[in-house]
Amino acid sequence: MTVEPSLTGAAAPAPVSRVLVANRGEIARRVFATCRRTGLATVAVFSDADANSPHVDDADVAVRLPGHAPADTYLRGDLIVAAALAAGADAVHPGYGFLSENAGFARSVRDAGLTWIGPPPASIEQMGSKVEAKKIMAAAGVPVLAELDPAAVTAADLPVLIKASAGGGGRGMRVVRDLADLDEQLAAARREAQSAFGDPTVFCERYLETGRHIEVQVLADRHGTVWAVGERECSIQRRHQKVVEEAPSPLVEAVPGMRERLFEAARLAASAIGYEGAGTVEFLASGDTGQGSTAGEFYFLEMNTRLQVEHPVTECTTGLDLVELQLHVAAGGRLALEPPAVRGHSIEARLYAEDPARGWQPQSGTVHRLALATLPAEFTVLRETGIRLDSGVVDGTEVGVNYDPMLAKVISWAPTRAVAARLLAATLASAEVHGVRTNRDLLVNVLRHPAFLAGDTDTAFFDTHGLEALSAPLADRRAEAASALAAALADAAHRRATAPVNAGLPSGWRNLPSGPQVKTYAGDHGEHEVRYRLGRTGLDTAGFDTVVLLDQRPDRVVLELDGLRREFRVARYDDDGVSVDAVYVDSGLGPVRLHEVPRFTDPSTQVAAGSLLAPMPGAVIRLGADVGDTVAAGQPILWLDAMKMEHTITAPASGVLTELNVTVGAQVTVGALLAVVAEADAQIPEGDQA
């Protein structure tokens, strides 16, 4: 492997020839891409749930980790080290998450004679406890927010943020505004932290309602050089997980002298623990850009002793391949005295399998299609205006409940922030995203929001500007109605193309006048009944002043609507091989997802009033009531663990719990009947009585 001397100085010969990535999905593919570019062989590890994952195919060789759950697979350091030795790897890259910040794992890699592509275990250990990390940073002169003992929190301290000491990514984090909720939220945070990191330790700190999340990318070699490569702003978050990130930070750009102070604090932090490799020092800053005493004020949050999910925006604004530099530093190479200057602006949007409009519910299912209108660069530095895609899925990938719901990162780079935002929004809006429901519409709405374009972002962005408005579909009701018409015409063309007899006859042909063809579709804006007739004079349909059918194919319909020519791309998918599960219509009016409404209702699909259906697949981890209990509306009935997050299932109305069909540990599928809450005088079925 070679590294550009202009960026890193004289490079020592690298002893690494085969790299195992102790991770999965997008980050494994990202590391493999750099390894391929630099001539290194690669090894993947995979759980049974990931047997068909794209990252397995990307590697030269792959080793199975038996099991599905992270605790049995990607969190088993002993199995991963054994896999590296069996596959002939001489280095291990941890990616992010899982064991990436586990000092014991880093030591076991080194003890096995393998190169650890990360910081020294002692540095990981020092930053592994956020409680101890704050003490170290305070001693080094880095500004910190005081830690609060959960047992000593009073009403005067509120609001407070509960945080997991051993991890990040939003797991084990809770905001508490009422002292009466503290004990319950502490218990939930500890359970989530134990599940995600194997350590239930949590602590509290003062919660800044409208802070700005600013972080500095650092890179250090073993010869004493420490770079502050550039800052990123990651203020737009949901559940304390980042959604949109960018470099450089609009806040830092606006406050004179803030960048220099941030960089100095980040270098102090890295030097205080003898850091090596790539890492990120995270700060919480005030949003004040004026001349007041709080302008540019910031506090240390934590140091992530690994690569960050959002590292591409730093790569695109510096021209650096951070993974290549990780490999270089791990091999003993030197960095140049100064990092390269920042150029232009880069924005990253995280595409999640989730439904923001329904409490950010994680989704599972098949990714039928994920395609951008223009072919993007993949896992590489952008050197001109354009789009980069870092994705852990391909068409046909199954999204399960065992892992984080992030599907892909879409990244733009342009000379200015305005162009970068416009390009990214347009790319996402025109992308074909079929299958599992995602947050795509929300991302586009954020990128086009006046506050975002003005650089006015903070961690309360969704609360300030309204999640309902930000998660609204890009296509309005009229656009959805036009898409339903296109779907009906495409379906007719499909039926004619696949008809066993008389395929050449036009759809709906009769030798006598007849009624219109009728199809009903359900979309985000409700139901649309499409009534149309194809005759000698063309298309006759209600709902539009003027409509002309210009082209009709199973996958493409061209209409002239009110004098404007529009193309509709139509795709149908059947998950069970029998009936169409969903119809996706993509056009300049916005992406639309439709379901065909059957003419007759199947009685077996009806559920009783008060039924609690599983909103997602997952595991039941706790019960909050028993059959026969009187419950109040909103009272927790049970808790589900899905995609490493805890979700509460509550009573839809006050009444009596007449059915409870699950026990702790049970695995449930989406739509499964979990429980039934009936009116207070309802009878409990005999089989459910104690």
Side-chain angles (χ1 to χ4, degrees):
M1 182 190 78
T2 59
V3 181
E4 295 180 47
S6 61
L7 298 182
T8 61
V16 173
S17 61
R18 185 183 295 262
V19 178
L20 178 142
V21 178
N23 220 294
R24 64 177 300 277
E26 170 266 327
I27 183 55
R29 302 189 76 199
R30 164 69 190 92
V31 176
F32 290 155
T34 287
C35 290
R36 281 195 301 273
R37 285 194 292 267
T38 55
L40 297 178
T42 54
V43 181
V45 290
F46 65 95
S47 68
D48 291 336
D50 278 339
N52 297 313
S53 172
H55 84 273
V56 178
D57 294 333
D58 282 359
D60 296 317
V61 65
V63 181
R64 174 181 173 243
L65 304 176
H68 288 76
D72 300 324
T73 54
Y74 299 109
L75 290 174
R76 285 285 302 274
D78 56 334
L79 296 182
I80 292 172
V81 171
L85 296 174
D90 45 30
V92 173
H93 191 298
Y96 43 68
F98 295 130
L99 295 171
S100 61
E101 294 179 283
N102 186 302
F105 177 59
R107 286 195 179 93
S108 68
V109 169
R110 289 185 167 190
D111 290 345
L114 305 170
T115 297
W116 168 249
I117 304 171
S123 298
I124 300 174
E125 213 155 44
Q126 287 176 291
M127 294 294 100
S129 164
K130 291 181 175 62
V131 175
E132 295 305 313
K134 287 195 170 192
K135 296 176 182 177
I136 295 171
M137 293 300 109
V142 179
V144 301
L145 278 173
E147 174 210 345
L148 301 174
D149 180 351
V153 170
T154 67
D157 298 318
L158 300 175
V160 297
L161 178 64
I162 304 170
K163 299 179 73 173
S165 181
R171 279 89 182 187
M173 296 181 80
R174 296 286 194 283
V175 177
V176 178
R177 294 183 173 86
D178 188 331
L179 201 60
D181 297 332
L182 182 62
D183 289 344
E184 180 182 342
Q185 294 300 322
L186 280 169
R190 287 174 178 134
R191 287 194 301 270
E192 208 164 77
Q194 175 65 42
S195 173
F197 314 115
D199 183 346
T201 306
V202 298
F203 67 99
C204 296
E205 66 186 19
R206 181 164 58 98
Y207 181 61
L208 303 183
E209 296 278 7
T210 57
R212 305 275 288 248
H213 188 114
I214 312 294
E215 60 190 33
V216 179
Q217 176 71 57
V218 296
L219 201 72
D221 63 25
R222 65 188 58 176
H223 309 286
T225 301
V226 180
W227 283 358
V229 182
E231 89 281 350
R232 299 183 286 257
E233 178 147 349
C234 314
S235 297
I236 298 181
Q237 303 178 4
R238 57 97 170 101
R239 290 180 171 175
H240 311 291
Q241 287 185 304
K242 301 159 190 172
V243 177
V244 177
E245 303 105 337
E246 58 183 311
S249 159
L251 173 66
V252 176
E253 294 271 272
V255 179
M258 184 176 179
R259 177 169 291 121
E260 290 73 16
R261 291 187 291 111
L262 269 172
F263 283 13
E264 176 61 21
R267 285 190 291 262
L268 281 173
S271 298
I273 59 172
Y275 201 76
E276 293 175 20
T280 298
V281 187
E282 299 196 352
F283 300 95
L284 188 64
S286 74
D288 186 359
T289 59
Q291 303 300 314
S293 60
T294 61
E297 181 183 71
F298 57 85
Y299 302 95
F300 172 85
L301 282 177
E302 63 188 25
M303 182 173 184
N304 290 303
T305 54
R306 53 170 168 81
L307 201 64
Q308 290 280 91
V309 176
E310 57 271 23
H311 75 273
V313 296
T314 296
E315 293 188 321
C316 291
T317 51
T318 61
L320 298 171
D321 182 328
L322 293 178
V323 173
E324 186 172 355
L325 288 173
Q326 283 185 296
L327 294 164
H328 174 71
V329 168
R334 291 178 178 271
L335 299 173
L337 293 179
E338 296 292 336
V342 169
R343 60 187 189 96
H345 203 96
S346 183
I347 307 175
E348 173 181 291
R350 299 191 192 187
L351 187 69
Y352 283 107
E354 65 184 11
D355 190 347
R358 292 174 174 79
W360 308 100
Q361 285 181 1
Q363 306 290 298
S364 64
T366 304
V367 178
H368 294 300
R369 181 164 174 77
L370 175 57
L372 306 187
T374 56
L375 190 64
E378 291 188 286
F379 304 110
T380 191
V381 176
L382 295 173
R383 302 189 184 278
E384 58 184 24
T385 300
I387 291 292
R388 164 176 167 173
L389 177 67
D390 286 18
S391 177
V393 302
V394 296
D395 293 357
T397 295
E398 290 291 328
V399 178
V401 299
N402 294 297
Y403 313 114
D404 187 273
M406 190 178 75
L407 303 179
K409 304 179 305 195
V410 186
I411 307 108
S412 66
W413 182 88
T416 67
R417 184 176 186 269
V419 174
R422 185 173 67 231
L423 174 60
L424 184 55
T427 299
L428 286 165
S430 62
E432 294 180 356
V433 184
H434 301 167
V436 62
R437 189 175 288 275
T438 73
N439 65 336
R440 183 262 299 276
D441 290 8
L442 173 120
L443 295 173
V444 175
N445 288 329
V446 168
L447 292 166
R448 290 175 173 169
H449 197 280
F452 178 84
L453 295 174
D456 184 14
T457 61
D458 57 41
T459 54
F461 191 88
F462 293 126
D463 292 331
T464 302
H465 301 291
L467 180 58
E468 182 178 355
L470 290 170
S471 61
L474 297 179
D476 60 20
R477 181 169 179 81
R478 184 167 176 78
E480 195 171 81
S483 298
L485 172 60
L489 293 168
D491 180 66
H494 170 72
R495 284 186 281 111
R496 298 317 307 155
T498 57
V501 295
N502 294 328
L505 291 178
S507 175
W509 181 86
R510 299 287 190 279
N511 59 1
L512 293 172
S514 64
Q517 296 191 69
V518 181
K519 290 186 76 69
T520 303
Y521 292 97
D524 290 325
H525 295 284
E527 290 192 356
H528 304 271
E529 184 182 70
V530 180
R531 305 176 70 88
Y532 71 93
R533 191 186 280 112
L534 288 171
R536 290 185 177 88
T537 58
L539 175 65
D540 178 19
T541 184
F544 298 91
D545 294 338
T546 59
V547 56
V548 179
L549 176 61
L550 301 176
D551 192 13
Q552 181 186 14
R553 305 179 197 175
D555 60 352
R556 178 178 182 266
V557 172
V558 181
L559 298 173
E560 185 179 287
L561 294 170
D562 302 330
L564 299 176
R565 177 188 171 111
R566 296 191 181 277
E567 178 188 44
F568 298 84
R569 302 182 305 280
V570 182
R572 295 172 296 280
Y573 302 97
D574 54 338
D575 285 344
D576 59 9
V578 178
S579 58
V580 174
D581 176 64
V583 180
Y584 295 85
V585 184
D586 294 290
S587 74
L589 295 173
V592 170
R593 172 182 178 143
L594 300 168
H595 291 270
E596 187 175 336
V597 178
R599 293 178 62 189
F600 304 103
T601 302
D602 182 352
S604 67
T605 64
Q606 302 303 297
V607 296
S611 296
L612 289 175
L613 305 182
M616 68 205 76
V620 178
I621 58 174
R622 187 180 168 204
L623 298 176
D626 293 321
V627 171
D629 286 355
T630 299
V631 297
Q635 178 178 331
I637 302 299
L638 57 91
W639 287 260
L640 286 179
D641 180 79
M643 292 180 175
K644 300 193 287 184
M645 300 291 284
E646 187 175 296
H647 306 269
T648 306
I649 309 299
T650 61
S654 297
V656 176
L657 186 63
T658 58
E659 290 185 40
L660 185 60
N661 301 322
V662 294
T663 57
V664 173
Q667 294 285 336
V668 300
T669 58
V670 64
L673 179 61
L674 305 175
V676 176
V677 176
E679 295 180 2
D681 58 353
Q683 296 296 312
I684 301 171
E686 288 188 17
D688 289 330
Q689 295 183 26

